[in-house]
Each structure stands twice: as C-alpha cells, then as structure tokens.
Amino acid sequence: LRARQDVAHRFLLTAPAATACGRSGRRRARSTRFAVDTRVGPPYAPSPLVIPPDRSGGNHPERRPAIATSPPDRPAAFEPVARVSLPDAVSDRLAGRILDGELTAGDRLPGERELAEQLGVSRIVVREALGRLQARGLIEIRPGVGAFVVPMPDHSVTEPLGLYIRRHGVGHAHLFEVRRALEPQIAAAAARRRDPRALATLTAIQRRTAAAAADLARATPSPADDPRDDVQADEALEAFAWADLAFHLHLAQASGNPLFELLLVPLVEPLLEVRRAGARRPGAAERATSEHAAILEAVTAGDAMAAAAAMARHLDSVATLLRPDGTPPPTEVQP
C-alpha cells in the first residue's frame, strides 16, 4: 500500500508539467504543421523540416539557382468600341438597302412616321438620317412629297477627288506619275477588248485632233501678224486641248472597265493648262497627234503590248514639258 501511495503521489506531482508540455507541443505542432512532421521523433519534440521531393527529377527549387524567364506574351489590348449615334445607325441601314439594290433609283422611301415606327426611333432621328443620306448623294428630299432614291452620277465620285487635288495643290509631276502607271494599262485593256463602236469613236476624235493641230499650226501668230490672229490661235489651241483630252477619256471608255474612266477624269482635267502650254511649242501638237495615231493603230490591231508601249512613249514625251532638263526617266511598261 505504501508503494502504491508513493506512485500516486509522484504522478500527481508530474501531471501538471506533462499537461503543459503536451499543450505547448500541440500548439507548436499546429503553428508549424506545414513545416513539421509531428509523427516522427521523440514525444513532443519537433521533427526536422520535410521538403517535398522534386517530381522533375532534379533538386528542389529552393536549392537550384534561379533561372531568368521572360513573362508570357499577353494579348493585345482591345480598342474601345465606338458609340454610334441613332441617326448614323438609321442612315447606314437605309444606305445598305440602297447599295444592295433593294431600293433602286426613283423609289420613294416610306414617310418619316412609318420609318420611325418600323425602326423604333423618333421622327427627329429619322429626319436627321434622311438629311445625311441626301448629303451622301443617295436620296433626294422633295418638300411635301417625300424622299426618293437617286442614281449615282459619275461626278459624285470624280468631283471629290478633283477637289482634293486642287485643295492640296497636288503637282503636275505627281499627276503624271499616276497617269504613267494607269494609262498604259488602259490602252492595253482597250486593245484586248477592241470594241468596234469604241474604235469608231476614237478614230473620229483622232481626225478632229489632227485638224485642230493643223489649224493651230496655221494660226500661230508671229510678232508682225495682225492681233486678230491671236483670237484664232486661241480658238485652235482650245480645240486641240479638248480633242486631246477627249482621246484619253474615250480610250478609258474603250477599255470596258468603268473604274478606269472614274480614276482618269480627275487626273487629266487639271492638266488642260499643260496641254495649252505644250501645244504652243512649235511642232508639239503635230507630235502629240502622231503619238495618238500610233496608240490607236495598236489598239485597232488588238496588240496590247504595243498599245501600252505607245501610250508610255506618249506620256514620256508630254512629261518633258515638266522637267527642267527636258528628258523624262525611261520606264519599261508591262501591259
């Protein structure tokens, strides 16, 4: 009995310390549970740090030297979406009907009230949209009658480009550079097409150009001539300049490609003064007439390569009027 009492007494004396040690050990285990394995080692003693194995077969990342890596490519940022006003949206929808051919020239659009109900907008929005369509040359608003689809004339395309050329002061050299790239291809296309009616028109224009060149040669006054001869010379000069212009424009029509004429008109009309100045030089009108004849001969024969080369030679000859040294750079043309 005495021995049992001694064991119990010793147990009571050591229990608080053991309990405290157990509680602190558990707190220590909980606070370091990501780095300490409490299942190994002596009781209540912290175990060594457990480093997870490297599955790639090498050392742990903490023990390997750092390798500089570039950040992954990020996609480009999106541009903000532009807000479209209601009048713009309505005018675009109506313009789409016109451009797709659902509404043709002469068709009358529904009234403002009907359009507003169909599109779910106010009449003010419809009125603004119709005004924008009229400014674009797609419709004509007749007060008290309605809005009508109008045909798109050629000048609605050529005039803006002509105004741009005049407004920005595009020089003659730049105009000739574009013509040099465009007109040989026009001549080649006309030769490949070889339309009989177009050839008849070009032949008539060529005769008129030759007659105007002859009149100009006869009417060119000298210092001792009568001042009235100046009027005749000016008339002959205008006739030649316009006949020369007509030859180039009708050649574009003879190509069968409507875009050729639309692109050429704004380029050649500003050069009328160059034609007048060049035709005053002795022999210039006759030389231009001869070059036109060579172009027409190649087109009539259906020789596209010869027509393109003849047109290129003609343009180079005219371009000498714009160069100080009188010689344009040689350029080969591939029709």
Side-chain angles (χ1 to χ4, degrees), residues 228-268:
R228 289 177 297 182
D229 294 339
D230 293 341
V231 177
Q232 297 178 359
D234 290 341
E235 291 177 354
L237 183 63
E238 285 298 309
F240 173 80
W242 284 102
D244 181 274
L245 175 63
F247 181 85
H248 288 269
L249 293 180
H250 279 81
L251 186 64
Q253 292 180 1
S255 69
N257 188 336
L259 294 180
F260 276 144
E261 185 179 4
L262 293 178
L263 294 173
L264 189 62
V265 169
L267 301 178
V268 297

Side-chain angles (χ1 to χ4, degrees), residues 19-315:
T19 302
C21 179
R23 290 175 181 174
S24 63
R26 286 193 296 271
R27 285 196 299 268
R28 189 164 54 248
R30 283 195 297 267
S31 63
T32 59
R33 62 187 176 196
F34 294 106
V36 178
D37 186 1
T38 58
R39 294 172 297 177
V40 295
Y44 313 120
S47 300
L49 292 178
V50 177
I51 299 176
D54 184 7
R55 299 181 182 274
S56 62
N59 297 327
H60 190 269
E62 293 182 0
R63 299 178 181 177
R64 293 198 304 265
I67 301 177
T69 58
S70 59
D73 294 337
R74 294 183 178 180
F78 290 101
E79 296 291 336
V81 178
R83 295 183 179 181
V84 180
S85 64
L86 284 177
D88 287 336
V90 172
S91 64
D92 289 344
R93 182 171 298 184
L94 295 175
R97 294 287 186 91
I98 297 173
L99 297 176
D100 291 342
E102 297 181 24
L103 296 172
T104 59
D107 290 346
R108 182 180 181 274
L109 271 66
E112 290 183 2
R113 185 187 301 276
E114 185 177 353
L115 283 175
E117 293 176 356
Q118 292 181 8
L119 298 171
V121 296
S122 66
R123 295 181 63 179
I124 296 178
V125 171
V126 172
R127 193 174 300 118
E128 292 183 12
L130 294 178
R132 299 182 185 186
L133 289 177
Q134 185 176 25
R136 295 168 64 180
L138 295 177
I139 66 171
E140 177 187 4
I141 300 177
R142 303 173 188 173
V145 181
F148 296 84
V149 180
V150 297
M152 180 173 288
D154 293 345
H155 65 79
S156 64
V157 179
T158 58
E159 283 184 359
L161 181 54
L163 291 175
Y164 176 89
I165 291 173
R166 295 180 59 186
R167 183 70 180 273
H168 292 270
V170 178
H172 291 162
H174 290 158
L175 295 177
F176 262 101
E177 188 175 7
V178 178
R179 288 185 61 190
R180 187 63 169 73
L182 184 66
E183 290 200 63
Q185 306 305 321
I186 291 176
R192 286 191 294 266
R193 185 166 179 256
R194 199 164 53 169
D195 180 66
R197 184 176 300 180
L199 292 177
T201 302
L202 287 171
T203 301
I205 295 174
Q206 175 61 17
R207 293 196 188 102
R208 192 165 70 246
T209 306
D215 293 342
L216 181 61
R218 288 192 300 266
T220 301
S222 62
D225 289 338
D226 191 329
R228 289 177 297 182
D229 294 339
D230 293 341
V231 177
Q232 297 178 359
D234 290 341
E235 291 177 354
L237 183 63
E238 285 298 309
F240 173 80
W242 284 102
D244 181 274
L245 175 63
F247 181 85
H248 288 269
L249 293 180
H250 279 81
L251 186 64
Q253 292 180 1
S255 69
N257 188 336
L259 294 180
F260 276 144
E261 185 179 4
L262 293 178
L263 294 173
L264 189 62
V265 169
L267 301 178
V268 297
E269 287 187 350
L271 296 173
L272 272 174
E273 188 58 38
V274 175
R275 285 180 168 84
R276 297 186 183 101
R280 289 189 177 95
R281 295 188 177 186
E286 291 84 352
R287 183 176 63 181
T289 303
S290 175
E291 292 165 354
H292 283 189
I295 296 170
L296 181 57
E297 181 181 357
V299 171
T300 304
D303 192 338
M305 185 173 295
M311 176 60 77
R313 288 192 298 269
H314 171 58
L315 293 176

